Amino acid sequence: MERTLSIIKPDGVSRGLIGEVIKRFEENDIKIVAMKMVHLSQADAEKFYAVHKERPFFGSLTEFMTSGPIVPMILEGDNVIEKNRTLMGATNFKEAAEGTIRRDFATDIEKNIVHGSDAPETAAVEIGFFFNQFEINDR
Ligand code: ATP
Ligand code: MG
């Protein structure tokens, strides 16, 4: 059993897509074991995306991620890191497969509705960034 961090980004929240994204997880037998709504400060966003700090889009990305509330969630299931990445689709929505969240809803390479951890190590760090042990519901 694996866990990953998903985030519905500010564009997904402001466009009323929280339910749509959650529906796709539930329809695909992905269990949500933690969820909240938070509004990141600039410092929080810079810390979360520290791996991208040398990239030309870092300033714009962190500004976007602080532009409104986001919904981080912990997803659980077999192979859920890869399964979530498949449901999300490619970073660039123009290259994302049919039926993926980004292909269906993203408007921009940056404003692409969802985030998903890309490996077990990053999943563990990202889960710890948003949630403490009491917020994780492992029934
Ligand atoms: P995420 O980490 O959000 O799940 P990802 O792993 O598909 O997305 P990354 O390469 O980690 O993509 O980039 C992180 C985020 O930075 C992207 O989701 C997107 O919002 C933004 N981004 C990536 N590449 C670009 C780019 N060339 N121009 C603008 N924004 C970008
Ligand atoms: Mg990434």
Side-chain angles (χ1 to χ4, degrees):
M1 197 57 80
E2 200 172 67
R3 284 180 180 165
T4 192
L5 184 84
S6 166
I7 303 176
I8 304 176
K9 296 184 179 183
D11 56 335
V13 174
S14 67
R15 289 174 55 204
L17 296 171
I18 297 172
E20 179 64 39
V21 172
I22 289 176
K23 178 162 76 81
R24 290 178 185 222
F25 295 152
E26 292 184 334
E27 278 174 356
N28 285 279
D29 293 320
I30 290 175
K31 196 161 128 185
I32 298 165
V33 297
M35 175 162 56
K36 60 172 74 169
M37 182 180 277
V38 296
H39 194 150
L40 295 181
S41 68
Q42 185 64 27
D44 293 332
E46 288 177 8
K47 190 173 166 205
F48 183 75
Y49 278 118
V51 290
H52 293 312
K53 68 173 178 295
E54 306 304 333
R55 309 279 284 273
F57 57 80
F58 182 70
S60 172
L61 174 62
T62 54
E63 190 182 324
F64 163 56
M65 289 299 289
T66 59
S67 67
I70 61 174
V71 177
M73 286 174 265
I74 303 175
L75 309 182
E76 188 178 89
D78 287 328
N79 204 25
V80 74
I81 295 174
E82 192 186 322
K83 201 168 169 184
N84 179 43
R85 299 281 297 185
T86 302
L87 289 175
M88 287 162 58
T91 310
N92 184 348
F93 73 105
K94 292 178 181 163
E95 289 160 15
E98 294 273 350
T100 60
I101 295 167
R102 285 168 167 173
R103 174 67 170 260
D104 289 347
F105 302 110
T107 52
D108 189 285
I109 189 165
E110 178 181 86
K111 295 174 182 62
N112 57 7
I113 312 290
V114 280
H115 163 85
S117 309
D118 57 14
E121 301 71 34
T122 48
V125 172
E126 292 176 358
I127 285 170
F129 184 89
F130 285 105
F131 295 97
N132 68 43
Q133 58 176 313
F134 305 110
E135 297 172 310
I136 302 175
N137 299 275
D138 32 11
R139 290 144 282 163

